Amino acid sequence: MAGKRDHSGAGMFDEGDLVAVRSTQPLDRTLDYRAPQGGCVLGDFVEVPLGPRKVPGVIWGPGLGDFDRSKIRSVIRVLDVAPMRDEMRAFLTKAADYTLTPMPAMLRLAMRAPGLGDPPSMRKIYRRGTGEPERMTEARRRVLDALESYGGLAFTLKELAEMAGVTASVVKGLVKHGAVREEDSPRDLPFPVMDPARPGKPLTEDQATAAAVLREHLRSRKYGTTLLKGVTGSGKTEVYLEAVAECLTLGRQALVLLPEIALTAEFLTRVEARFGAKPAEWHSGATMTERRRIWRMVGQGGAQLVVGARSALFLPFRDLGLIIVDEEHDTSYKQEDGVLYNARDMAVLRAAMAGARVVLASATPSLESWANAEAGKYDRLDLTARFGDAVLPEMRAIDMRAEKLDPGTWISPTLRGAVRARMEAGEQALLFLNRRGYAPVTICRACGYQFACDHCDARMVEHRFQKRLMCHQCGETKPMPEACPSCGVEGKLSPVGPGIERLAEETAALFPEARIAVLSSDLFASARALKEKIVEIGAGGADIIIGTQLVAKGHNFPKLTLVGVIDADLGLQGSDLRAAERTFQLMRQVAGRAGRAERPGLALLQTFQPEHPVIRAILAGDEEGFWRAEAAERQAAGVPPYGRMAGIILSGTDAAAVFDLGTVLARNDGALRAIGAQVFGPAAAPIARIRGRHRVRLLVKAAKGAPLQGALARWLAPLRLKGDLRLSVDIDPQSFL
Ligand code: ADP
Ligand code: ZN
């Protein structure tokens, strides 16, 4: 029987009522408890006893009553945070069903803030008091001026002392005289109020039209998704900030997802300039205190705008009105371990549940979003011109078959000349190579030995700056030896092929006078250090930038006018179904870094196959043509977005057991055949071993409308995983490694 309802509304439980609690413990059901003293409501975050432990959970509904009632224990306490909203429970349930993720793992994503149950701790804050100091000194005057110039605002002791340029004792002295008041205030303070009425930049006609449409959409207060496609530098950010302004005006909350934390610095500055205050910033680098504050304030409405990484989707927004997914094509939106979800798709689901709008912004949308817009499922807005006088860079191929290069070098004479010309003009050049480290392979010229990771089926890559070998799969590193570990011969270990560090070496030899900046994620100890470097480069602190795909993402380098792509063919090898799409996006994004200010840009692509259709499409800039061709091919093959796929990854330390499991699954495919789906495999994964675990893959393909998740669930349900065998399901896989 359901718990009896209080007359003040559905979902209220009186003390002693049976309630069903979902916890983050790996159980595939809710457990019944009794409501605590004072009762509780649906969605309340609670602490419950589980065996000898106390675990966090959420009141999920009335108790099921299928336990021995005499043994049912009581909820320990209700946490002092806003209850989970119905819409959030619905979102988590749907997301779990879609990704075939167990509910507890989903719930953990929604509770990722420490100390949620702790009472808000207090700290001292200081504001202007009514008294006057007996004697006014210069230092005291500065403190009072600082307080007065900010109206009624209060500050911490440290902030106030810093603002006034005085020591803490000066402030304390003023407290004694009553000129400054000391108060206790909760640590989790609301975020500064943003003012959406402040004027933005005057928009161009195109921009204004797009902004007006987005504002109109927001006023509907209904779900809908818009693909905002605009060439790099066309002012997409400017336009979607208008949508944010409308959302804030309506009193609803907005979320902006960015793919790369290094991008946020510039964005935060722009938000502050637009709305007069910084937004809440949610990312893995945030401190525990900051996370807790954001989580609580988002729930209470004390944070109007959150800028964050994909996990911000699981914050408990009180009234979410808008989600922006910037650079929506970016592969980092797909979480590749733990819960396998695509933040772009989950943003659409979250918004549908919340009655919010979604804006997917990109210069090079994913084929999925392009196809959804074509099919009329998404609205589409286009910005076709760069802002101001900036024009799109010219793109040209360098036919490497006709270039003369010394062995062990990768910068063609043509590219060299172009870089030199930019340097003489006082402009910046970017050399792009999507390969970290010194060289992809290190081989012993005496015996042919190649360094391989002990735990993975992968080569060890030499990172010469750090004098170490590194496995890019598991991150294991070891010092670079002098002698070959296999034959013992010294001085015969040689690099094969270029990595970004080797390219830097070649560049330094060619341009000894140039200031060279190497941008690769592994060369920076912290996100902050990387951010600082990017700001420094933007200000002109380098002549030549050498970078991996890290530099392709949205940075603004006004002096950059030349982009040289060292190996445009790199992404076209391999059998990944998105190889062409990725190459097209990456090349256009990288090229888009050039000529963002007054001076026109040039992109040069070194290629051995200038006739390749993808290379030709990139050079021609015929985007719609490229997408139509790519869509037709995928349609013919019945692959995403015109068919459905799921990857099944099996792993374990015993290779034979992993394979046997795969064979059993492939044989018992009745549930899949029932919906017309096919299973391929088992096959050793391209990376057949990671961290000592052998990996086997199966691939399930189904027609577009097929109820894939249900069939997968029925197919996998009888499975019992023995020993250390693991299985994970990747719906809509992006990576096939
Ligand atoms: P995108 O997001 O499409 O790459 P941005 O919004 O970053 O483009 O705009 C590119 C540059 O042009 C930025 O420096 C931005 O401040 C500037 N810009 C764009 N639109 C305007 C405008 N209407 N007025 C002034 N500056 C603008
Ligand atoms: Zn490894």
Side-chain angles (χ1 to χ4, degrees):
M1 236 319 280
K4 69 175 141 57
R5 299 286 159 85
D6 185 291
H7 22 263
S8 54
M12 310 270 300
F13 303 98
D14 293 330
E15 179 176 357
D17 285 352
L18 282 190
V19 289
V21 174
R22 265 266 172 230
S23 78
T24 53
Q25 300 305 303
L27 301 165
D28 57 9
R29 53 161 296 161
T30 58
L31 295 179
D32 278 4
Y33 288 89
R34 290 196 181 281
Q37 193 185 7
C40 57
V41 302
L42 194 59
D44 262 339
F45 287 87
V46 293
E47 197 170 74
V48 293
L50 188 70
R53 289 183 303 152
K54 292 179 186 172
V55 301
V58 174
I59 304 285
W60 211 255
L64 301 176
D66 54 355
F67 281 128
D68 178 355
R69 288 188 177 233
S70 64
K71 293 201 178 125
I72 291 179
R73 299 158 81 182
S74 240
V75 167
I76 299 169
R77 66 189 180 111
V78 175
L79 307 186
D80 181 24
V81 292
M84 182 183 279
R85 302 170 52 80
D86 292 356
E87 136 209 332
M88 186 67 168
R89 276 185 294 125
F91 167 61
L92 294 177
T93 307
K94 289 213 169 186
D97 288 348
Y98 189 86
T99 56
L100 290 176
T101 301
M103 236 1 242
M106 222 66 225
L107 198 56
R108 272 198 292 278
L109 286 177
M111 294 177 71
R112 276 191 20 188
L116 283 186
D118 302 351
S121 56
M122 304 301 263
R123 62 173 172 184
K124 300 265 184 256
I125 55 165
Y126 299 81
R127 66 171 85 241
R128 183 72 165 99
T130 46
E132 288 298 328
E134 281 157 13
R135 193 171 49 84
M136 187 63 83
T137 63
E138 171 58 27
R140 287 177 171 174
R141 182 76 261 158
R142 286 209 301 273
V143 173
L144 298 182
D145 281 351
L147 285 174
E148 271 149 26
S149 64
Y150 280 94
L153 282 186
F155 298 92
T156 63
L157 186 57
K158 186 160 163 276
E159 285 166 349
L160 185 54
E162 260 170 29
M163 257 183 347
V166 302
T167 59
S169 61
V170 176
V171 178
K172 290 282 191 183
L174 286 165
V175 172
K176 264 194 219 123
H177 297 129
V180 171
R181 217 163 67 217
E182 186 182 77
E183 295 167 8
D184 284 319
S185 153
R187 206 169 267 285
D188 299 322
L189 289 178
F191 286 82
V193 176
M194 313 191 104
D195 179 5
R198 286 166 60 117
K201 295 189 175 130
L203 299 180
T204 65
E205 210 179 302
D206 265 14
Q207 293 174 344
T209 310
V213 173
L214 292 181
R215 279 182 178 269
E216 186 65 43
H217 284 158
L218 270 139
R219 286 196 290 269
S220 78
R221 291 179 173 263
K222 287 206 189 76
Y223 161 75
T225 297
T226 306
L227 174 61
L228 175 62
K229 181 182 174 308
V231 295
T232 44
S234 58
K236 291 183 294 298
T237 313
E238 241 31 84
V239 169
Y240 73 61
L241 284 178
E242 292 302 300
V244 171
E246 186 66 39
C247 181
L248 301 187
T249 306
L250 293 168
R252 305 186 80 186
Q253 293 166 299
L255 167 64
V256 176
L257 296 179
L258 298 175
E260 184 72 49
I261 169 160
L263 282 177
T264 50
E266 189 199 337
F267 183 73
L268 295 178
T269 314
R270 284 174 79 167
V271 168
E272 195 174 8
R274 178 72 179 78
F275 301 117
K278 280 218 169 87
E281 196 188 341
W282 176 267
H283 56 79
S284 54
T287 63
M288 290 300 162
T289 335
E290 196 56 14
R291 275 178 168 258
R292 189 182 108 131
R293 175 185 176 207
I294 297 175
W295 200 95
R296 294 176 80 107
M297 286 306 128
V298 164
Q300 289 170 24
Q304 294 160 283
L305 172 61
V306 179
V307 175
R310 58 188 175 218
S311 60
L313 274 178
F314 294 91
L315 286 171
F317 289 93
R318 194 178 67 167
D319 184 10
L320 184 61
L322 174 66
I323 306 177
I324 311 278
V325 184
D326 201 0
E327 310 286 352
E328 68 91 31
H329 62 279
D330 199 284
T331 50
S332 69
Y333 282 124
K334 180 67 189 281
Q335 169 137 321
E336 296 286 5
D337 45 38
V339 179
L340 307 179
Y341 68 95
N342 188 323
R344 179 192 65 217
D345 301 341
M346 290 302 123
V348 170
L349 180 62
R350 179 93 165 85
M353 317 289 347
R357 295 289 313 189
V358 180
V359 175
L360 305 176
S362 174
T364 54
S366 59
L367 191 67
E368 273 83 359
S369 298
W370 180 84
N372 278 330
E374 286 292 290
K377 278 212 250 165
Y378 296 171
D379 299 306
R380 175 167 163 177
L381 292 169
D382 281 65
L383 297 173
T384 48
R386 280 194 158 181
F387 175 72
D389 297 328
V391 288
L392 280 174
E394 186 192 338
M395 299 186 83
R396 270 191 256 143
I398 296 178
D399 186 345
M400 294 299 276
R401 295 167 305 189
E403 297 280 330
K404 290 212 165 37
L405 273 86
D406 292 334
T409 69
W410 286 272
I411 304 175
S412 65
T414 305
L415 183 54
R416 226 180 284 164
V419 172
R420 179 153 293 126
R422 301 293 144 156
M423 287 188 50
E424 280 161 8
E427 298 169 5
Q428 288 175 327
L430 164 70
L431 299 179
F432 175 80
L433 177 65
N434 206 7
R435 254 191 197 148
R436 293 184 289 141
Y438 188 79
V441 184
T442 304
I443 191 168
C444 169
R445 295 237 180 265
C447 73
Y449 173 84
Q450 294 184 14
F451 286 103
C453 177
D454 295 337
H455 318 288
C456 307
D457 219 12
R459 295 193 183 101
M460 293 289 264
V461 175
E462 181 185 357
H463 284 244
R464 199 165 277 194
F465 293 2
Q466 293 159 13
K467 300 194 177 60
R468 295 187 81 79
L469 291 160
M470 186 191 293
C471 169
H472 287 178
Q473 294 312 319
C474 69
E476 167 92 348
T477 71
K478 50 186 170 194
M480 181 74 196
E482 298 283 324
C484 171
S486 174
C487 68
V489 175
E490 273 186 44
K492 286 284 183 192
L493 292 171
S494 356
V496 182
I500 193 159
E501 296 177 0
R502 198 171 189 191
L503 185 63
E505 203 175 83
E506 183 182 346
T507 311
L510 286 173
F511 303 100
E513 70 289 9
R515 293 167 304 157
I516 297 175
V518 185
L519 283 185
S520 171
S521 52
D522 55 290
L523 296 176
F524 292 85
S526 67
R528 178 187 301 267
L530 175 59
K531 271 191 205 170
E532 280 165 9
K533 190 74 189 173
I534 285 169
V535 171
E536 184 190 319
I537 295 172
D543 303 312
I544 304 178
I545 306 150
I546 298 189
T548 59
Q549 65 175 0
L550 195 68
V551 297
K553 299 180 184 178
H555 308 291
N556 242 328
F557 299 138
K559 287 198 169 154
L560 182 71
T561 54
L562 173 73
V563 168
V565 175
I566 298 301
D567 187 353
D569 308 331
L570 195 57
L572 292 175
Q573 301 144 7
S575 56
D576 188 331
L577 87 99
R578 292 185 179 83
E581 180 187 350
R582 294 263 162 77
T583 301
F584 184 80
Q585 287 162 340
L586 191 57
M587 291 302 112
R588 293 199 61 88
Q589 290 281 341
V590 177
R593 296 309 113 214
R596 307 246 311 170
E598 313 79 52
R599 287 171 278 204
L602 171 67
L604 295 173
L605 276 57
Q606 297 196 143
T607 173
F608 283 93
Q609 35 186 345
E611 303 307 321
H612 192 290
V614 175
I615 301 287
R616 280 173 44 182
I618 294 168
L619 295 175
D622 177 13
E623 302 186 23
E624 295 298 318
F626 172 78
W627 277 316
R628 275 195 300 274
E630 184 64 16
E633 267 186 40
R634 298 240 198 126
Q635 201 145 23
V639 296
Y642 304 98
R644 305 204 55 195
M645 274 190 186
I648 312 293
I649 305 111
L650 308 171
S651 71
T653 47
D654 176 356
V658 183
F659 246 101
D660 289 347
L661 176 64
T663 310
V664 168
L665 277 174
R667 270 202 208 118
N668 299 295
D669 64 345
L672 296 177
R673 268 188 284 120
I675 62 153
Q678 278 177 291
V679 56
F680 300 89
I687 301 168
R689 194 168 55 115
I690 295 184
R691 291 188 183 88
R693 297 177 66 84
H694 297 272
R695 304 170 73 245
V696 163
R697 294 190 65 113
L698 295 130
L699 185 67
V700 179
K701 280 177 75 178
K704 189 163 170 58
L708 182 59
Q709 279 86 348
L712 288 170
R714 285 191 293 281
W715 177 46
L716 299 173
L719 203 66
R720 295 286 165 266
L721 294 172
K722 295 200 196 78
D724 69 356
L725 288 175
R726 293 283 171 279
L727 176 147
S728 67
V729 182
D730 187 2
I731 302 286
D732 312 329
Q734 294 282 319
S735 155
F736 294 84
L737 299 176

